[in-house]
Amino acid sequence: MANITTFADKGADLELVGIQKRFPGFTAIENLDLTIPAGSFFALLGPSGCGKTTTLRLVAGLEDPTEGRILLGGKDVTDLKPFKRPVNTVFQSYALFPHMTILENVAFGLRRRKIGDPVAKAQDALRLVELDHVQDRKPAQLSGGQQQRVALARAVVNRPALLLLDEPLGALDLKLRRQMQQELKAIQQEVGLTFLHVTHDQEEAMTMADTVAVMNKGRIEQMGAPEELYELPKTVFVANFLGQSNLFSVKVAGSTDQVIHTDLGGSRISVPRSRSERDAGEITVGVRPEKLRLHRQQPAGHDASINVLGPGVITDVSFIGVSTQYTVESSVYGSVQVFAQNVEAGPAAALGDTVWLSWLVEHTFGLLDDRLDTGALTTEFSTRAIATQAALAE
Ligand code: ATP
């Protein structure tokens, strides 16, 4: 990325305090408290309808909270009109002005607010997204990804304290989306602004954000660094929404200071105490599919650092290039997913094979939920209201 210092202004802390949003007959946000530190890249991740966009619209001033306050840089902005807030939004649809050049598109807001040097500032912003060489073209002469970068330059040039990104890459094809994810992250680090990114794409959230908040039904289920959420989910919802998990309902059979031992149909499954939310009764434990190993024979004399399950039968084998995904079925523990990296020549196991499973105890996690009820997870795209763009314009 180009080295631009013009945009070095730090973003502001965003604080949502006791936010509730009720629509007639429906509560979209329930008592949300959230602090997003200045300069961070924060992702709100969740399925369609969980309240992400509503949260973003509250911050932008497009909706009024039923209860609660919104603070930016310590200043209460709850009652400010959208255009009075130091906030810019980048949407999935770029909405560039088709008749203007790229440079004019980026300079437009500055001119309107009578900010000095609009052209030089717009050129700086275009350099930042590496599009200064196309400044004289019209939007139709750019690719989708380039147009999205122009939309980003147009938002960043205003130096908002906070940049809101509403599924900004949703319209791009997969390859371009991956490339733009890296570029967006680099730009955010470059300008040091606070980014609040809303998405239902877990890979996108994990790739870009420093902190991810997983939202479900108007509440934040869990918040943390991407690795932390992935390696140590605390609820069934997070374990399933962020990647895939094998979850088992087990009964606690004993414990030490370090480890909780559970029983799963006669097999001992242990979970480190520090990785379990619960330590008594019926609990739910889990392990990620890539942590599992397949064995053609029962592993003999394994030590206490390993959990072993078996036997089960391979009922599905999907070769997906870097790995092969196996489904193992057992009448005792149900259906288990195993992702095996293709490092050996030939498949690790074939359809119909009887296999045993093992994984390190330290990869097991214990959830808050006392029963397995995943609910329906929908991840369809939402349509973004173009009207929102109009409301944001001065
Ligand atoms: P998506 O990814 O599909 O956009 P989302 O997580 O952004 O989903 P929101 O748009 O925030 O979800 O909507 C949260 C809930 O609030 C949904 O059930 C939605 O139907 C409801 N909702 C949103 N706006 C209104 C409204 N103006 N009136 C009534 N209900 C609304």
Side-chain angles (χ1 to χ4, degrees):
M1 282 298 129
N3 186 21
I4 304 279
T5 49
T6 331
F7 303 104
D9 299 9
K10 263 271 189 187
D13 261 6
L14 169 67
E15 286 172 79
L16 303 182
V17 187
I19 293 289
Q20 193 188 62
K21 178 63 186 175
R22 279 195 296 269
F23 292 112
F26 187 79
T27 303
I29 309 284
E30 280 181 36
N31 202 12
L32 181 66
D33 285 299
L34 189 64
T35 299
I36 301 181
S40 64
F41 198 135
F42 191 96
L44 262 185
L45 173 70
S48 183
C50 73
K52 309 179 295 286
T53 302
T54 303
T55 307
L56 208 95
R57 289 172 61 83
L58 287 165
V59 174
L62 297 163
E63 299 280 0
D64 293 323
T66 314
E67 273 173 40
R69 311 302 298 171
I70 298 167
L71 287 84
L72 258 172
K75 187 171 167 250
D76 193 328
V77 298
T78 321
D79 302 319
L80 283 188
K81 294 258 178 279
F83 60 88
K84 296 267 189 197
R85 300 188 185 197
V87 172
N88 264 87
T89 311
V90 179
F91 297 94
Q92 184 175 328
S93 49
Y94 335 115
L96 301 177
F97 299 116
H99 57 287
M100 287 185 194
T101 65
I102 297 305
L103 184 66
E104 283 308 315
N105 260 284
V106 177
F108 179 79
L110 298 175
R111 283 199 201 287
R112 222 167 147 174
R113 288 185 295 124
K114 303 200 169 33
I115 308 268
D117 284 334
V119 170
K121 288 189 172 117
Q123 282 169 331
D124 272 353
L126 281 172
R127 255 196 298 284
L128 185 73
V129 297
E130 296 181 342
L131 282 179
D132 42 321
H133 60 292
V134 298
Q135 65 171 37
D136 297 326
R137 289 199 206 161
K138 299 278 175 60
Q141 295 168 299
L142 299 188
S143 72
Q146 288 173 327
Q147 291 185 46
Q148 190 56 279
R149 269 144 69 191
V150 175
L152 190 65
R154 196 178 54 175
V156 167
V157 81
N158 293 318
R159 298 194 218 173
L162 176 66
L163 191 64
L164 305 176
L165 301 156
D166 192 353
E167 306 259 10
L169 312 180
L172 307 181
D173 68 46
L174 191 64
K175 197 165 170 209
L176 200 51
R177 199 150 77 216
R178 297 287 170 256
Q179 186 191 333
M180 278 295 292
Q181 285 168 6
Q182 289 166 1
E183 290 180 7
L184 249 182
K185 175 83 188 158
I187 289 168
Q188 190 267 338
Q189 285 169 347
E190 181 90 28
V191 297
L193 299 178
T194 312
F195 279 30
L196 172 54
H197 180 208
V198 155
T199 181
H200 66 262
D201 180 335
Q202 44 119 352
E203 194 174 321
E204 186 160 305
M206 297 224 282
T207 313
M208 294 198 284
D210 315 312
T211 307
V212 176
V214 181
M215 244 184 140
N216 181 24
K217 295 181 186 154
R219 291 180 303 115
I220 290 184
E221 287 251 343
Q222 194 176 342
M223 197 168 97
E227 301 83 1
E228 186 186 321
L229 290 187
Y230 185 81
E231 295 297 343
L232 204 50
K234 287 186 171 18
T235 65
V236 169
F237 181 83
V238 175
N240 282 326
F241 192 74
L242 212 65
Q244 291 186 45
S245 295
N246 294 303
L247 302 179
F248 310 105
S249 281
V250 295
K251 204 170 165 42
V252 173
S255 58
T256 67
D257 283 353
Q258 305 291 323
V259 185
I260 299 160
H261 300 298
T262 73
D263 177 74
L264 176 54
S267 296
R268 188 169 90 167
I269 303 299
S270 303
V271 52
R273 194 175 270 285
S274 61
R275 289 174 59 83
S276 185
E277 293 297 312
R278 305 178 69 227
D279 64 1
E282 301 271 350
I283 67 172
T284 302
V285 295
V287 61
R288 296 289 189 181
E290 72 280 8
K291 309 288 201 261
L292 294 177
R293 289 191 57 195
L294 291 173
H295 305 266
R296 302 287 194 100
Q297 268 119 32
Q298 183 167 14
H302 61 85
D303 64 40
S305 65
I306 293 173
N307 286 324
V308 173
L309 271 185
V313 175
I314 303 230
T315 57
D316 188 63
V317 180
S318 302
F319 177 77
I320 56 156
V322 291
S323 68
T324 301
Q325 306 193 351
Y326 299 91
T327 304
V328 178
E329 299 274 356
S330 149
S331 58
V332 177
Y333 49 81
S335 178
V336 170
Q337 298 294 312
V338 181
F339 299 166
Q341 264 206 308
N342 290 323
V343 286
E344 311 290 344
L351 210 58
D353 281 357
T354 296
V355 291
W356 280 257
L357 302 167
S358 76
W359 71 93
L360 293 174
V361 167
E362 67 192 54
H363 287 147
T364 319
F365 48 80
L367 302 176
L368 266 171
D369 314 59
D370 56 2
R371 69 199 158 90
L372 283 173
D373 176 16
T374 53
L377 301 182
T378 49
T379 54
E380 73 206 57
F381 273 113
S382 65
T383 24
R384 298 288 160 211
I386 298 295
T388 303
Q389 313 245 22
L392 274 171
E394 282 166 61

